[in-house]
């Protein structure tokens, strides 16, 4: 390591994660000058430039990116191990940081969180709802809850929550003004209200299964609307703006009332359960292990 100290690497990782010297200094309770001096010392010892500096922002060089990606999991392991040593073995405490999609909240996550907080009152919980893929290394969260299509490579995962029943819905008004599709492949000619993971470049697929073979296939309708909120999708479908492929549970009250009708129920498969994803099986903090056990029990 060319005599680079663990403390120097720790400071470097915090600068990279905080994306700035001032923010990292505040997080580490150090002076900005001390942080800058530490980075310069580390670069001299390694013989490579790790950070490009401008007056407004920093960016990692290729060497900096490699060091950050490879060192942060080890530093996280070390921090967790030290936390576990400092904590009483019978006490589950600290702060648990989670990232989850908005849709998981009404399905099962609210129930898990309420029971977890009641069972472990010494734990503070931070949960950020976000439907995009989250980098476990850079984000600083203990775990993410995601669908299987957004599982991070190299992470460990545990299935939690129920299977997710889907439905293709439309308002009676929309179907009155448009000839009802006879089969799922006809949907390419219809207005779709699509769910987008942060933009139009990544859309949730509309999945169907063939009759006897049960082979999965996808159909892409015309993307009249792209949104990243399930409630809005249902509201837009009720307003007659197009067809929406949504989780069945939040749409069910409107299906029961007749404001929405479903199409091709027997051709729509359930989605796999959510997964809870974390970086390492070693030194899993007790507060995270307790959350995993509870989520598996309720799910």
């Amino acid at each position: 390591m060319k005599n680079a100290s663990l403390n120097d690497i720790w400071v470097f990782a915090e600068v990279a994660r905080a994306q700035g010297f001032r923010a990292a200094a505040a997080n580490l309770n150090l002076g900005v000058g001390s942080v800058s001096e530490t980075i310069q010392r580390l670069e001299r010892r390694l013989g490579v430039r790790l950070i490009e500096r401008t007056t407004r922002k920093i960016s990692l060089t290729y060497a900096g990116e490699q060091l950050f990606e490879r060192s942060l999991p080890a530093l996280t392991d070390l921090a967790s191990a030290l936390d576990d040593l400092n904590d009483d073995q019978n006490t589950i405490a600290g702060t648990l940081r989670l990232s989850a999609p908005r849709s998981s909240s009404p399905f099962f996550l609210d129930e898990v969180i309420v029971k977890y907080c009641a069972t472990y009152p010494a734990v503070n919980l931070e949960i950020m709802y976000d439907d995009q893929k989250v980098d476990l290394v850079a984000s600083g969260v203990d775990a993410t809850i995601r669908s299987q299509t957004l599982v991070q490579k190299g992470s460990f995962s545990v299935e939690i929550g129920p299977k997710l029943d889907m439905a293709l819905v439309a308002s009676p008004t929309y179907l009155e003004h448009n000839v009802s599709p006879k089969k799922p492949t006809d949907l390419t000619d219809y207005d779709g209200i699509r769910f987008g993971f942060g933009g139009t470049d990544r859309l949730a697929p509309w999945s169907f299964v063939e009759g006897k073979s049960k082979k999965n296939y996808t159909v892409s309708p015309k993307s009249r609307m792209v949104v990243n909120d399930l409630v809005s999708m249902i509201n837009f479908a009720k307003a007659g703006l197009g067809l929406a492929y949504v989780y069945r549970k939040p749409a069910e009250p409107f299906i029961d009332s007749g404001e929405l009708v479903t199409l091709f129920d027997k051709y729509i498969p359930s989605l796999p359960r959510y997964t809870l994803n974390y970086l390492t099986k070693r030194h899993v903090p007790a507060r995270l292990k307790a959350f995993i056990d509870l989520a598996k029990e309720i799910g």
Side-chain angles (χ1 to χ4, degrees):
M1 195 180 288
K2 299 183 181 179
N3 298 320
S5 74
L6 179 61
N7 184 66
D8 290 354
I9 296 175
W10 197 291
V11 171
F12 161 75
E14 188 57 41
V15 171
R17 181 159 51 189
Q19 299 184 347
F21 286 83
R22 191 172 300 278
N27 294 341
L28 295 168
N29 199 25
L30 296 172
V32 177
S34 177
V35 170
S36 178
E37 182 180 334
T38 299
I39 298 302
Q40 292 176 31
R41 179 173 62 244
L42 179 60
E43 289 178 328
R44 286 196 302 271
R45 287 177 174 173
L46 296 179
V48 294
R49 193 169 184 81
L50 300 172
I51 297 175
E52 296 291 356
R53 307 158 178 83
T54 68
T55 55
R56 294 189 176 184
K57 64 178 183 178
I58 68 159
S59 61
L60 297 182
T61 64
Y62 177 76
E65 290 178 352
Q66 294 298 303
L67 179 60
F68 180 56
E69 290 178 4
R70 298 188 65 178
S71 65
L72 192 55
L75 293 174
T76 302
D77 261 4
L78 178 59
S80 296
L82 293 174
D83 284 345
D84 287 346
L85 287 175
N86 290 330
D87 288 342
D88 186 289
Q89 288 186 350
N90 297 317
T91 301
I92 296 176
T95 299
L96 180 65
R97 298 177 177 88
L98 302 173
S99 171
R102 296 177 183 89
S103 59
S104 64
S105 175
F107 283 117
F108 74 100
L109 192 56
D110 284 353
E111 180 185 356
V112 175
I113 288 172
V114 168
K115 186 169 183 180
Y116 181 83
C117 290
T119 307
Y120 306 107
V123 177
N124 297 319
L125 190 66
E126 295 179 8
I127 179 163
M128 298 295 114
Y129 289 104
D130 188 339
D131 291 296
Q132 299 188 55
K133 193 169 185 177
V134 172
D135 188 335
L136 275 165
V137 174
S139 65
V141 299
D142 295 299
T144 64
I145 296 165
R146 288 294 185 270
S147 67
Q148 292 191 355
T149 56
L150 293 177
V151 173
Q152 181 174 328
K153 184 179 179 181
S155 67
F156 296 92
S157 61
V158 177
E159 286 191 340
I160 58 174
K163 282 192 174 182
L164 304 172
D165 292 330
M166 306 299 293
L168 179 65
V169 297
S171 71
T173 303
Y174 180 82
L175 295 177
E176 285 174 10
H177 290 87
N178 297 272
V179 178
S180 294
K182 303 298 184 198
K183 54 187 183 298
T185 51
D186 294 339
L187 295 170
T188 54
D189 297 324
Y190 287 77
D191 297 315
I193 302 168
R194 307 293 302 275
F195 186 91
F197 295 100
T200 58
D201 57 332
R202 185 173 175 82
L203 302 178
W206 288 19
S207 298
F208 300 91
V209 292
E210 292 181 356
K212 293 182 179 179
S213 69
K214 297 297 181 182
K215 182 180 179 182
N216 277 64
Y217 64 97
T218 60
V219 176
S220 294
K222 294 185 291 185
S223 297
R224 183 179 184 190
M225 303 185 72
V226 177
V227 297
N228 67 344
D229 182 75
L230 188 64
V231 173
S232 294
M233 291 179 68
I234 293 171
N235 287 335
F236 294 148
K238 284 164 52 185
L241 300 181
L243 298 155
Y245 191 97
V246 297
Y247 295 117
R248 189 179 191 95
K249 186 173 180 179
E252 213 147 46
F254 308 107
I255 296 170
D256 293 341
S257 69
E259 294 174 84
L260 291 173
V261 297
T262 62
L263 297 88
F264 308 126
D265 284 348
K266 67 179 182 179
Y267 296 108
I268 297 179
S270 297
L271 293 184
R273 301 164 67 192
Y274 288 105
T275 59
L276 186 145
N277 315 288
Y278 53 101
L279 275 178
T280 177
K281 286 186 175 180
R282 295 179 300 162
H283 307 305
V284 175
R287 56 188 175 274
L288 176 56
K289 185 178 185 302
F291 187 88
I292 293 172
D293 291 343
L294 184 59
K296 288 166 64 178
E297 174 190 323
I298 291 178

